[in-house]
Amino acid sequence: MPRPATKIKIKREAILAELSQMAEGRHAGCETLIARFLRDPQYQQAAKILSDAIQVESYRRLARRDEIPAPPAWLLPI
Amino acid sequence: MGCTSGVVMPKLDGVSVEYRLWTEDRLAIKLAQSLTTLGLAEPGAWEETKHSPTGYAHTALTRWIALHGSDQVRQNFALNVTISDSPDLYGGETDRRGLLYLMVDPDSAGYMILGPTLEMLGDIHPRLPATFYRLLVGAIQRWVRIYDFTDALERVEMWREWAEGDGDQDQYEYPDVEGCIPPAMKLKPLSPKRVQRIVGNTRNQLSRQLLRAVLDLDSVSRRLRRPEISEETREAFMDSNPPLPVLLVSFKLQDAVAGCFDEESQNFLEASPEPNLLLEFDPADQQGVRRTFSILAVLCKTMAATSRIAAMLPGNGDEG
């Protein structure tokens, strides 16, 4: 089992390695959302479903806004 | 049972919920690297700050300040320490030289009333009040701005000049700063060696403690020198006001010095003030980072020693 001082040294080296990756832009956290999207089909499918759903919903709202209310005292259409 | 639509929801398990672009953190990464190599940052903080170089450096700074007496400093002073990529926090541009700036500034000024202490010390030796005052104010002023009777005298002088310009000097009344300065303050201060001899022969315990504490403060504040600022950085403060005072020192509660401070404080923020302490450093230069943190430690220890003295001063808790 490594001694506490060795453990700290190993941890420091790991942090320094991670910081070097960040400085060079190779760290996982540096990955942009677009890069991940282009690679991942599940992401693309999720985006398609959401986009379709939003379009359908906005179409419905628009359609409802175009309805003209019947003038007062008129009978409602059958 | 309804019919299936044919659409299968994708699994999002394991997909990262947070993304971060590090481009603006390049200086923070360099600083985090130096702090890790120098052993100034606690490795455990890396996980706690979720692998954020900025958070990691911030934790290292907070820990460093705590190690050098922040609890004691807080009892009398409201100081902020900032590390920024611009020397001018009030709308300055980011530095193109890749330097970082450590700045120290107050939220408000602390308050010390020295009259009763000077009176007590005057009973031991007539030159002790001026000695104590010079040692105390001199030590603090090495690092931060103090507002004391010299600022008040300058203020009154300025008011007189303005009144002369108006042509009718008699219609104005000025605070009597000169009159509130104890006469013993005009005597020549004793050397620290002489003070040490007096400490050994003094029976009054409080006086002895205060003199020891002020000698200690003097030596702590001299451990390092405030470094020079580059010409380029100095230019950022060409139109700035003087630094905000960290401490107001008066002789009595609400005397003429305190009155001048109240009046002048209304103009402190008319233009952006210079920082009290400004240290510029290259985050990739490990020696520079170590020096910067060492200087900050001296400032913290100086202010902690000042807090200890403030707690001992007779009549200092009367400011209400």
Side-chain angles (χ1 to χ4, degrees), chain A residues 11-12 15-16 18-19 22-23 29-31 33 36 42-43 45-46 49, chain B residues 7-8 10-11 15 19-20 22 26 29 33 36 43 46-47 51 53:
Chain A
K11 181 75 189 153
R12 268 194 195 132
I15 294 169
L16 285 171
E18 213 176 318
L19 283 165
M22 283 179 183
C30 306
E31 216 173 14
L33 197 59
R36 186 70 194 260
Q42 287 203 322
Y43 243 136
Q45 194 183 353
I49 291 166
Chain B
V7 174
V8 179
K11 285 180 187 172
V15 172
Y19 282 86
R20 188 160 178 183
W22 301 103
R26 282 193 192 287
I29 294 170
Q33 284 172 320
T36 308
W46 184 242
E47 298 298 331
H51 302 218

PDB file of all heavy atoms in Angstrom, chain A residues 11-12 15-16 18-19 22-23 29-31 33 36 42-43 45-46 49, chain B residues 7-8 10-11 15 19-20 22 26 29 33 36 43 46-47 51 53:
ATOM      1  N   LYS A  11      -1.360  11.694  -6.706  1.00  0.00           N
ATOM      2  CA  LYS A  11      -2.544  12.525  -6.964  1.00  0.00           C
ATOM      3  C   LYS A  11      -2.125  13.829  -7.673  1.00  0.00           C
ATOM      4  O   LYS A  11      -2.777  14.256  -8.624  1.00  0.00           O
ATOM      5  CB  LYS A  11      -3.240  12.832  -5.620  1.00  0.00           C
ATOM      6  CG  LYS A  11      -4.486  13.656  -5.729  1.00  0.00           C
ATOM      7  CD  LYS A  11      -5.652  12.863  -6.247  1.00  0.00           C
ATOM      8  CE  LYS A  11      -6.825  13.776  -6.546  1.00  0.00           C
ATOM      9  NZ  LYS A  11      -7.708  13.282  -7.563  1.00  0.00           N
ATOM     10  N   ARG A  12      -1.030  14.411  -7.179  1.00  0.00           N
ATOM     11  CA  ARG A  12      -0.536  15.657  -7.792  1.00  0.00           C
ATOM     12  C   ARG A  12      -0.164  15.422  -9.252  1.00  0.00           C
ATOM     13  O   ARG A  12      -0.473  16.238 -10.119  1.00  0.00           O
ATOM     14  CB  ARG A  12       0.700  16.154  -7.050  1.00  0.00           C
ATOM     15  CG  ARG A  12       0.325  17.106  -5.972  1.00  0.00           C
ATOM     16  CD  ARG A  12       1.507  17.865  -5.434  1.00  0.00           C
ATOM     17  NE  ARG A  12       1.073  18.455  -4.185  1.00  0.00           N
ATOM     18  CZ  ARG A  12       1.730  18.414  -3.046  1.00  0.00           C
ATOM     19  NH1 ARG A  12       2.896  17.825  -2.988  1.00  0.00           N
ATOM     20  NH2 ARG A  12       1.241  18.973  -1.965  1.00  0.00           N
ATOM     21  N   ILE A  15      -3.259  15.203 -11.297  1.00  0.00           N
ATOM     22  CA  ILE A  15      -3.863  16.538 -11.514  1.00  0.00           C
ATOM     23  C   ILE A  15      -3.067  17.289 -12.584  1.00  0.00           C
ATOM     24  O   ILE A  15      -3.652  17.898 -13.490  1.00  0.00           O
ATOM     25  CB  ILE A  15      -3.899  17.349 -10.190  1.00  0.00           C
ATOM     26  CG1 ILE A  15      -4.844  16.695  -9.191  1.00  0.00           C
ATOM     27  CG2 ILE A  15      -4.341  18.784 -10.440  1.00  0.00           C
ATOM     28  CD1 ILE A  15      -4.753  17.245  -7.769  1.00  0.00           C
ATOM     29  N   LEU A  16      -1.744  17.215 -12.479  1.00  0.00           N
ATOM     30  CA  LEU A  16      -0.901  17.916 -13.462  1.00  0.00           C
ATOM     31  C   LEU A  16      -1.118  17.367 -14.869  1.00  0.00           C
ATOM     32  O   LEU A  16      -1.165  18.127 -15.845  1.00  0.00           O
ATOM     33  CB  LEU A  16       0.577  17.814 -13.067  1.00  0.00           C
ATOM     34  CG  LEU A  16       1.005  18.706 -11.900  1.00  0.00           C
ATOM     35  CD1 LEU A  16       2.415  18.375 -11.451  1.00  0.00           C
ATOM     36  CD2 LEU A  16       0.915  20.187 -12.285  1.00  0.00           C
ATOM     37  N   GLU A  18      -3.879  16.007 -15.965  1.00  0.00           N
ATOM     38  CA  GLU A  18      -5.193  16.470 -16.411  1.00  0.00           C
ATOM     39  C   GLU A  18      -5.139  17.944 -16.823  1.00  0.00           C
ATOM     40  O   GLU A  18      -5.735  18.346 -17.835  1.00  0.00           O
ATOM     41  CB  GLU A  18      -6.196  16.276 -15.271  1.00  0.00           C
ATOM     42  CG  GLU A  18      -7.587  15.948 -15.769  1.00  0.00           C
ATOM     43  CD  GLU A  18      -8.559  15.669 -14.620  1.00  0.00           C
ATOM     44  OE1 GLU A  18      -8.161  14.980 -13.657  1.00  0.00           O
ATOM     45  OE2 GLU A  18      -9.682  16.161 -14.712  1.00  0.00           O
ATOM     46  N   LEU A  19      -4.393  18.731 -16.052  1.00  0.00           N
ATOM     47  CA  LEU A  19      -4.258  20.160 -16.373  1.00  0.00           C
ATOM     48  C   LEU A  19      -3.530  20.349 -17.713  1.00  0.00           C
ATOM     49  O   LEU A  19      -3.885  21.237 -18.493  1.00  0.00           O
ATOM     50  CB  LEU A  19      -3.513  20.896 -15.256  1.00  0.00           C
ATOM     51  CG  LEU A  19      -4.339  21.184 -13.996  1.00  0.00           C
ATOM     52  CD1 LEU A  19      -3.438  21.581 -12.838  1.00  0.00           C
ATOM     53  CD2 LEU A  19      -5.355  22.296 -14.248  1.00  0.00           C
ATOM     54  N   MET A  22      -5.948  19.777 -20.406  1.00  0.00           N
ATOM     55  CA  MET A  22      -6.832  20.954 -20.546  1.00  0.00           C
ATOM     56  C   MET A  22      -6.116  22.060 -21.317  1.00  0.00           C
ATOM     57  O   MET A  22      -6.700  22.691 -22.193  1.00  0.00           O
ATOM     58  CB  MET A  22      -7.207  21.491 -19.163  1.00  0.00           C
ATOM     59  CG  MET A  22      -8.256  20.699 -18.455  1.00  0.00           C
ATOM     60  SD  MET A  22      -8.563  21.447 -16.845  1.00  0.00           S
ATOM     61  CE  MET A  22      -9.742  20.286 -16.194  1.00  0.00           C
ATOM     62  N   ALA A  23      -4.849  22.296 -20.961  1.00  0.00           N
ATOM     63  CA  ALA A  23      -4.080  23.359 -21.617  1.00  0.00           C
ATOM     64  C   ALA A  23      -3.933  23.100 -23.111  1.00  0.00           C
ATOM     65  O   ALA A  23      -3.924  24.028 -23.919  1.00  0.00           O
ATOM     66  CB  ALA A  23      -2.710  23.480 -20.964  1.00  0.00           C
ATOM     67  N   GLY A  29     -13.473  17.293 -20.912  1.00  0.00           N
ATOM     68  CA  GLY A  29     -14.333  18.432 -20.602  1.00  0.00           C
ATOM     69  C   GLY A  29     -14.271  19.543 -21.638  1.00  0.00           C
ATOM     70  O   GLY A  29     -15.106  20.429 -21.675  1.00  0.00           O
ATOM     71  N   CYS A  30     -13.254  19.482 -22.511  1.00  0.00           N
ATOM     72  CA  CYS A  30     -13.116  20.522 -23.535  1.00  0.00           C
ATOM     73  C   CYS A  30     -14.005  20.228 -24.750  1.00  0.00           C
ATOM     74  O   CYS A  30     -14.166  21.083 -25.615  1.00  0.00           O
ATOM     75  CB  CYS A  30     -11.682  20.612 -24.044  1.00  0.00           C
ATOM     76  SG  CYS A  30     -10.495  20.843 -22.753  1.00  0.00           S
ATOM     77  N   GLU A  31     -14.523  19.001 -24.825  1.00  0.00           N
ATOM     78  CA  GLU A  31     -15.286  18.596 -25.992  1.00  0.00           C
ATOM     79  C   GLU A  31     -16.521  19.487 -26.141  1.00  0.00           C
ATOM     80  O   GLU A  31     -17.254  19.685 -25.176  1.00  0.00           O
ATOM     81  CB  GLU A  31     -15.744  17.156 -25.792  1.00  0.00           C
ATOM     82  CG  GLU A  31     -15.758  16.365 -27.043  1.00  0.00           C
ATOM     83  CD  GLU A  31     -16.058  14.908 -26.731  1.00  0.00           C
ATOM     84  OE1 GLU A  31     -16.488  14.609 -25.624  1.00  0.00           O
ATOM     85  OE2 GLU A  31     -15.872  14.107 -27.616  1.00  0.00           O
ATOM     86  N   LEU A  33     -20.285  20.586 -27.487  1.00  0.00           N
ATOM     87  CA  LEU A  33     -21.571  19.900 -27.674  1.00  0.00           C
ATOM     88  C   LEU A  33     -21.739  19.481 -29.133  1.00  0.00           C
ATOM     89  O   LEU A  33     -22.236  18.398 -29.447  1.00  0.00           O
ATOM     90  CB  LEU A  33     -22.682  20.856 -27.251  1.00  0.00           C
ATOM     91  CG  LEU A  33     -24.046  20.260 -26.988  1.00  0.00           C
ATOM     92  CD1 LEU A  33     -23.971  19.225 -25.893  1.00  0.00           C
ATOM     93  CD2 LEU A  33     -25.026  21.339 -26.601  1.00  0.00           C
ATOM     94  N   ARG A  36     -19.778  16.347 -30.048  1.00  0.00           N
ATOM     95  CA  ARG A  36     -20.447  15.163 -29.491  1.00  0.00           C
ATOM     96  C   ARG A  36     -21.677  14.817 -30.333  1.00  0.00           C
ATOM     97  O   ARG A  36     -21.949  13.654 -30.627  1.00  0.00           O
ATOM     98  CB  ARG A  36     -20.846  15.484 -28.041  1.00  0.00           C
ATOM     99  CG  ARG A  36     -21.428  14.339 -27.273  1.00  0.00           C
ATOM    100  CD  ARG A  36     -20.369  13.297 -26.981  1.00  0.00           C
ATOM    101  NE  ARG A  36     -20.963  12.063 -26.535  1.00  0.00           N
ATOM    102  CZ  ARG A  36     -21.044  11.690 -25.260  1.00  0.00           C
ATOM    103  NH1 ARG A  36     -20.529  12.441 -24.337  1.00  0.00           N
ATOM    104  NH2 ARG A  36     -21.602  10.556 -24.934  1.00  0.00           N
ATOM    105  N   GLN A  42     -27.550   8.716 -31.323  1.00  0.00           N
ATOM    106  CA  GLN A  42     -28.651   8.843 -30.357  1.00  0.00           C
ATOM    107  C   GLN A  42     -28.964  10.308 -30.076  1.00  0.00           C
ATOM    108  O   GLN A  42     -30.112  10.693 -29.939  1.00  0.00           O
ATOM    109  CB  GLN A  42     -28.261   8.148 -29.058  1.00  0.00           C
ATOM    110  CG  GLN A  42     -28.291   6.626 -29.181  1.00  0.00           C
ATOM    111  CD  GLN A  42     -28.451   5.965 -27.826  1.00  0.00           C
ATOM    112  OE1 GLN A  42     -27.892   6.432 -26.852  1.00  0.00           O
ATOM    113  NE2 GLN A  42     -29.193   4.887 -27.792  1.00  0.00           N
ATOM    114  N   TYR A  43     -27.930  11.101 -30.024  1.00  0.00           N
ATOM    115  CA  TYR A  43     -28.109  12.549 -29.848  1.00  0.00           C
ATOM    116  C   TYR A  43     -28.893  13.125 -31.029  1.00  0.00           C
ATOM    117  O   TYR A  43     -29.820  13.916 -30.866  1.00  0.00           O
ATOM    118  CB  TYR A  43     -26.728  13.230 -29.814  1.00  0.00           C
ATOM    119  CG  TYR A  43     -26.411  13.907 -28.518  1.00  0.00           C
ATOM    120  CD1 TYR A  43     -25.165  13.768 -27.921  1.00  0.00           C
ATOM    121  CD2 TYR A  43     -27.351  14.696 -27.882  1.00  0.00           C
ATOM    122  CE1 TYR A  43     -24.859  14.376 -26.729  1.00  0.00           C
ATOM    123  CE2 TYR A  43     -27.056  15.314 -26.693  1.00  0.00           C
ATOM    124  CZ  TYR A  43     -25.814  15.155 -26.108  1.00  0.00           C
ATOM    125  OH  TYR A  43     -25.509  15.766 -24.923  1.00  0.00           O
ATOM    126  N   GLN A  45     -30.891  11.575 -33.069  1.00  0.00           N
ATOM    127  CA  GLN A  45     -32.278  11.107 -33.085  1.00  0.00           C
ATOM    128  C   GLN A  45     -33.104  11.877 -32.053  1.00  0.00           C
ATOM    129  O   GLN A  45     -34.241  12.288 -32.328  1.00  0.00           O
ATOM    130  CB  GLN A  45     -32.303   9.603 -32.768  1.00  0.00           C
ATOM    131  CG  GLN A  45     -33.647   8.973 -33.085  1.00  0.00           C
ATOM    132  CD  GLN A  45     -33.671   7.501 -32.690  1.00  0.00           C
ATOM    133  OE1 GLN A  45     -32.660   6.927 -32.296  1.00  0.00           O
ATOM    134  NE2 GLN A  45     -34.827   6.892 -32.835  1.00  0.00           N
ATOM    135  N   ALA A  46     -32.529  12.090 -30.869  1.00  0.00           N
ATOM    136  CA  ALA A  46     -33.230  12.832 -29.819  1.00  0.00           C
ATOM    137  C   ALA A  46     -33.549  14.248 -30.290  1.00  0.00           C
ATOM    138  O   ALA A  46     -34.651  14.762 -30.087  1.00  0.00           O
ATOM    139  CB  ALA A  46     -32.374  12.891 -28.564  1.00  0.00           C
ATOM    140  N   ILE A  49     -36.507  14.138 -32.800  1.00  0.00           N
ATOM    141  CA  ILE A  49     -37.807  13.944 -32.142  1.00  0.00           C
ATOM    142  C   ILE A  49     -38.269  15.244 -31.490  1.00  0.00           C
ATOM    143  O   ILE A  49     -39.410  15.676 -31.674  1.00  0.00           O
ATOM    144  CB  ILE A  49     -37.698  12.814 -31.070  1.00  0.00           C
ATOM    145  CG1 ILE A  49     -37.490  11.469 -31.761  1.00  0.00           C
ATOM    146  CG2 ILE A  49     -38.951  12.764 -30.202  1.00  0.00           C
ATOM    147  CD1 ILE A  49     -37.052  10.363 -30.827  1.00  0.00           C
TER     148      ILE A  49
ATOM    149  N   VAL B   7     -41.627   5.021 -33.079  1.00  0.00           N
ATOM    150  CA  VAL B   7     -40.482   5.844 -32.662  1.00  0.00           C
ATOM    151  C   VAL B   7     -39.924   5.290 -31.353  1.00  0.00           C
ATOM    152  O   VAL B   7     -40.677   4.996 -30.431  1.00  0.00           O
ATOM    153  CB  VAL B   7     -40.927   7.309 -32.460  1.00  0.00           C
ATOM    154  CG1 VAL B   7     -39.784   8.138 -31.898  1.00  0.00           C
ATOM    155  CG2 VAL B   7     -41.420   7.882 -33.760  1.00  0.00           C
ATOM    156  N   VAL B   8     -38.655   5.100 -31.295  1.00  0.00           N
ATOM    157  CA  VAL B   8     -38.025   4.607 -30.062  1.00  0.00           C
ATOM    158  C   VAL B   8     -37.245   5.745 -29.429  1.00  0.00           C
ATOM    159  O   VAL B   8     -36.443   6.397 -30.100  1.00  0.00           O
ATOM    160  CB  VAL B   8     -37.068   3.422 -30.386  1.00  0.00           C
ATOM    161  CG1 VAL B   8     -36.398   2.925 -29.096  1.00  0.00           C
ATOM    162  CG2 VAL B   8     -37.826   2.302 -31.069  1.00  0.00           C
ATOM    163  N   PRO B  10     -34.405   7.492 -27.618  1.00  0.00           N
ATOM    164  CA  PRO B  10     -33.007   7.111 -27.392  1.00  0.00           C
ATOM    165  C   PRO B  10     -32.651   7.192 -25.902  1.00  0.00           C
ATOM    166  O   PRO B  10     -33.266   7.947 -25.166  1.00  0.00           O
ATOM    167  CB  PRO B  10     -32.238   8.172 -28.180  1.00  0.00           C
ATOM    168  CG  PRO B  10     -33.153   9.326 -28.248  1.00  0.00           C
ATOM    169  CD  PRO B  10     -34.558   8.799 -28.220  1.00  0.00           C
ATOM    170  N   LYS B  11     -31.674   6.401 -25.525  1.00  0.00           N
ATOM    171  CA  LYS B  11     -31.235   6.427 -24.121  1.00  0.00           C
ATOM    172  C   LYS B  11     -30.241   7.573 -23.932  1.00  0.00           C
ATOM    173  O   LYS B  11     -29.319   7.726 -24.730  1.00  0.00           O
ATOM    174  CB  LYS B  11     -30.542   5.108 -23.781  1.00  0.00           C
ATOM    175  CG  LYS B  11     -31.498   3.963 -23.600  1.00  0.00           C
ATOM    176  CD  LYS B  11     -30.712   2.712 -23.279  1.00  0.00           C
ATOM    177  CE  LYS B  11     -31.633   1.509 -23.255  1.00  0.00           C
ATOM    178  NZ  LYS B  11     -30.870   0.264 -23.136  1.00  0.00           N
ATOM    179  N   VAL B  15     -24.881  10.332 -20.768  1.00  0.00           N
ATOM    180  CA  VAL B  15     -24.509  11.503 -21.577  1.00  0.00           C
ATOM    181  C   VAL B  15     -24.159  12.646 -20.622  1.00  0.00           C
ATOM    182  O   VAL B  15     -24.890  12.886 -19.656  1.00  0.00           O
ATOM    183  CB  VAL B  15     -25.681  11.911 -22.504  1.00  0.00           C
ATOM    184  CG1 VAL B  15     -25.389  13.224 -23.192  1.00  0.00           C
ATOM    185  CG2 VAL B  15     -25.948  10.823 -23.515  1.00  0.00           C
ATOM    186  N   TYR B  19     -21.092  20.813 -20.224  1.00  0.00           N
ATOM    187  CA  TYR B  19     -19.929  20.968 -21.099  1.00  0.00           C
ATOM    188  C   TYR B  19     -19.286  22.302 -20.807  1.00  0.00           C
ATOM    189  O   TYR B  19     -19.968  23.259 -20.446  1.00  0.00           O
ATOM    190  CB  TYR B  19     -20.356  20.899 -22.576  1.00  0.00           C
ATOM    191  CG  TYR B  19     -20.611  19.490 -23.023  1.00  0.00           C
ATOM    192  CD1 TYR B  19     -21.847  18.914 -22.835  1.00  0.00           C
ATOM    193  CD2 TYR B  19     -19.600  18.728 -23.595  1.00  0.00           C
ATOM    194  CE1 TYR B  19     -22.081  17.608 -23.211  1.00  0.00           C
ATOM    195  CE2 TYR B  19     -19.823  17.425 -23.968  1.00  0.00           C
ATOM    196  CZ  TYR B  19     -21.064  16.862 -23.787  1.00  0.00           C
ATOM    197  OH  TYR B  19     -21.268  15.575 -24.153  1.00  0.00           O
ATOM    198  N   ARG B  20     -18.009  22.337 -20.970  1.00  0.00           N
ATOM    199  CA  ARG B  20     -17.338  23.593 -20.665  1.00  0.00           C
ATOM    200  C   ARG B  20     -16.212  23.825 -21.659  1.00  0.00           C
ATOM    201  O   ARG B  20     -15.468  22.909 -21.992  1.00  0.00           O
ATOM    202  CB  ARG B  20     -16.751  23.517 -19.259  1.00  0.00           C
ATOM    203  CG  ARG B  20     -16.223  24.819 -18.840  1.00  0.00           C
ATOM    204  CD  ARG B  20     -16.089  24.885 -17.363  1.00  0.00           C
ATOM    205  NE  ARG B  20     -15.523  26.170 -17.039  1.00  0.00           N
ATOM    206  CZ  ARG B  20     -15.217  26.549 -15.837  1.00  0.00           C
ATOM    207  NH1 ARG B  20     -15.437  25.769 -14.835  1.00  0.00           N
ATOM    208  NH2 ARG B  20     -14.689  27.722 -15.621  1.00  0.00           N
ATOM    209  N   TRP B  22     -12.748  25.668 -22.262  1.00  0.00           N
ATOM    210  CA  TRP B  22     -11.722  26.135 -21.343  1.00  0.00           C
ATOM    211  C   TRP B  22     -10.935  27.330 -21.879  1.00  0.00           C
ATOM    212  O   TRP B  22     -10.035  27.805 -21.208  1.00  0.00           O
ATOM    213  CB  TRP B  22     -10.729  25.015 -21.036  1.00  0.00           C
ATOM    214  CG  TRP B  22     -11.351  23.822 -20.432  1.00  0.00           C
ATOM    215  CD1 TRP B  22     -11.642  22.641 -21.047  1.00  0.00           C
ATOM    216  CD2 TRP B  22     -11.793  23.670 -19.075  1.00  0.00           C
ATOM    217  NE1 TRP B  22     -12.225  21.774 -20.177  1.00  0.00           N
ATOM    218  CE2 TRP B  22     -12.335  22.377 -18.964  1.00  0.00           C
ATOM    219  CE3 TRP B  22     -11.787  24.504 -17.963  1.00  0.00           C
ATOM    220  CZ2 TRP B  22     -12.858  21.901 -17.778  1.00  0.00           C
ATOM    221  CZ3 TRP B  22     -12.307  24.022 -16.787  1.00  0.00           C
ATOM    222  CH2 TRP B  22     -12.839  22.735 -16.707  1.00  0.00           C
ATOM    223  N   ARG B  26      -7.294  29.758 -19.670  1.00  0.00           N
ATOM    224  CA  ARG B  26      -5.891  29.378 -19.906  1.00  0.00           C
ATOM    225  C   ARG B  26      -4.973  29.829 -18.768  1.00  0.00           C
ATOM    226  O   ARG B  26      -4.092  29.095 -18.335  1.00  0.00           O
ATOM    227  CB  ARG B  26      -5.387  29.959 -21.232  1.00  0.00           C
ATOM    228  CG  ARG B  26      -5.864  29.169 -22.398  1.00  0.00           C
ATOM    229  CD  ARG B  26      -5.145  29.510 -23.673  1.00  0.00           C
ATOM    230  NE  ARG B  26      -5.842  28.914 -24.795  1.00  0.00           N
ATOM    231  CZ  ARG B  26      -5.842  27.626 -25.077  1.00  0.00           C
ATOM    232  NH1 ARG B  26      -5.178  26.789 -24.320  1.00  0.00           N
ATOM    233  NH2 ARG B  26      -6.514  27.155 -26.111  1.00  0.00           N
ATOM    234  N   ILE B  29      -5.567  27.717 -15.752  1.00  0.00           N
ATOM    235  CA  ILE B  29      -4.910  26.400 -15.878  1.00  0.00           C
ATOM    236  C   ILE B  29      -3.436  26.527 -15.508  1.00  0.00           C
ATOM    237  O   ILE B  29      -2.900  25.735 -14.737  1.00  0.00           O
ATOM    238  CB  ILE B  29      -5.085  25.836 -17.313  1.00  0.00           C
ATOM    239  CG1 ILE B  29      -6.560  25.532 -17.585  1.00  0.00           C
ATOM    240  CG2 ILE B  29      -4.248  24.575 -17.504  1.00  0.00           C
ATOM    241  CD1 ILE B  29      -6.880  25.195 -19.038  1.00  0.00           C
ATOM    242  N   GLN B  33      -1.540  24.778 -12.395  1.00  0.00           N
ATOM    243  CA  GLN B  33      -0.342  23.933 -12.575  1.00  0.00           C
ATOM    244  C   GLN B  33       0.757  24.368 -11.606  1.00  0.00           C
ATOM    245  O   GLN B  33       1.371  23.550 -10.931  1.00  0.00           O
ATOM    246  CB  GLN B  33       0.168  24.031 -14.020  1.00  0.00           C
ATOM    247  CG  GLN B  33      -0.688  23.223 -14.992  1.00  0.00           C
ATOM    248  CD  GLN B  33      -0.305  23.460 -16.444  1.00  0.00           C
ATOM    249  OE1 GLN B  33      -0.020  24.593 -16.840  1.00  0.00           O
ATOM    250  NE2 GLN B  33      -0.336  22.415 -17.253  1.00  0.00           N
ATOM    251  N   THR B  36      -0.067  23.529  -7.988  1.00  0.00           N
ATOM    252  CA  THR B  36       0.063  22.083  -7.720  1.00  0.00           C
ATOM    253  C   THR B  36       1.538  21.720  -7.558  1.00  0.00           C
ATOM    254  O   THR B  36       1.918  21.033  -6.603  1.00  0.00           O
ATOM    255  CB  THR B  36      -0.557  21.272  -8.874  1.00  0.00           C
ATOM    256  OG1 THR B  36      -1.875  21.749  -9.095  1.00  0.00           O
ATOM    257  CG2 THR B  36      -0.618  19.787  -8.546  1.00  0.00           C
ATOM    258  N   PRO B  43      -4.328  18.671  -3.082  1.00  0.00           N
ATOM    259  CA  PRO B  43      -4.812  17.787  -4.155  1.00  0.00           C
ATOM    260  C   PRO B  43      -6.273  17.368  -3.981  1.00  0.00           C
ATOM    261  O   PRO B  43      -6.994  17.195  -4.952  1.00  0.00           O
ATOM    262  CB  PRO B  43      -3.877  16.577  -4.076  1.00  0.00           C
ATOM    263  CG  PRO B  43      -2.654  17.081  -3.420  1.00  0.00           C
ATOM    264  CD  PRO B  43      -3.087  18.154  -2.479  1.00  0.00           C
ATOM    265  N   TRP B  46      -9.127  19.171  -5.837  1.00  0.00           N
ATOM    266  CA  TRP B  46      -9.353  18.989  -7.273  1.00  0.00           C
ATOM    267  C   TRP B  46     -10.705  18.313  -7.519  1.00  0.00           C
ATOM    268  O   TRP B  46     -11.461  18.711  -8.396  1.00  0.00           O
ATOM    269  CB  TRP B  46      -8.193  18.167  -7.867  1.00  0.00           C
ATOM    270  CG  TRP B  46      -8.233  17.990  -9.344  1.00  0.00           C
ATOM    271  CD1 TRP B  46      -8.345  16.804 -10.014  1.00  0.00           C
ATOM    272  CD2 TRP B  46      -8.170  19.000 -10.358  1.00  0.00           C
ATOM    273  NE1 TRP B  46      -8.348  17.022 -11.365  1.00  0.00           N
ATOM    274  CE2 TRP B  46      -8.240  18.365 -11.595  1.00  0.00           C
ATOM    275  CE3 TRP B  46      -8.066  20.398 -10.314  1.00  0.00           C
ATOM    276  CZ2 TRP B  46      -8.204  19.060 -12.803  1.00  0.00           C
ATOM    277  CZ3 TRP B  46      -8.044  21.100 -11.518  1.00  0.00           C
ATOM    278  CH2 TRP B  46      -8.102  20.434 -12.745  1.00  0.00           C
ATOM    279  N   GLU B  47     -11.003  17.278  -6.725  1.00  0.00           N
ATOM    280  CA  GLU B  47     -12.293  16.584  -6.865  1.00  0.00           C
ATOM    281  C   GLU B  47     -13.413  17.489  -6.355  1.00  0.00           C
ATOM    282  O   GLU B  47     -14.469  17.594  -6.974  1.00  0.00           O
ATOM    283  CB  GLU B  47     -12.293  15.271  -6.072  1.00  0.00           C
ATOM    284  CG  GLU B  47     -11.260  14.252  -6.527  1.00  0.00           C
ATOM    285  CD  GLU B  47     -11.480  13.786  -7.963  1.00  0.00           C
ATOM    286  OE1 GLU B  47     -12.623  13.772  -8.424  1.00  0.00           O
ATOM    287  OE2 GLU B  47     -10.455  13.455  -8.625  1.00  0.00           O
ATOM    288  N   HIS B  51     -12.884  19.430 -10.834  1.00  0.00           N
ATOM    289  CA  HIS B  51     -11.828  19.555 -11.846  1.00  0.00           C
ATOM    290  C   HIS B  51     -11.845  20.919 -12.538  1.00  0.00           C
ATOM    291  O   HIS B  51     -11.524  21.031 -13.714  1.00  0.00           O
ATOM    292  CB  HIS B  51     -11.928  18.432 -12.894  1.00  0.00           C
ATOM    293  CG  HIS B  51     -11.846  17.066 -12.306  1.00  0.00           C
ATOM    294  ND1 HIS B  51     -11.190  16.036 -12.923  1.00  0.00           N
ATOM    295  CD2 HIS B  51     -12.323  16.543 -11.156  1.00  0.00           C
ATOM    296  CE1 HIS B  51     -11.293  14.938 -12.171  1.00  0.00           C
ATOM    297  NE2 HIS B  51     -11.975  15.228 -11.098  1.00  0.00           N
ATOM    298  N   PRO B  53     -10.123  24.416 -12.917  1.00  0.00           N
ATOM    299  CA  PRO B  53      -8.880  25.117 -12.549  1.00  0.00           C
ATOM    300  C   PRO B  53      -9.145  26.397 -11.763  1.00  0.00           C
ATOM    301  O   PRO B  53      -8.437  26.711 -10.813  1.00  0.00           O
ATOM    302  CB  PRO B  53      -8.220  25.426 -13.899  1.00  0.00           C
ATOM    303  CG  PRO B  53      -8.821  24.472 -14.856  1.00  0.00           C
ATOM    304  CD  PRO B  53     -10.217  24.205 -14.371  1.00  0.00           C
TER     305      PRO B  53
END
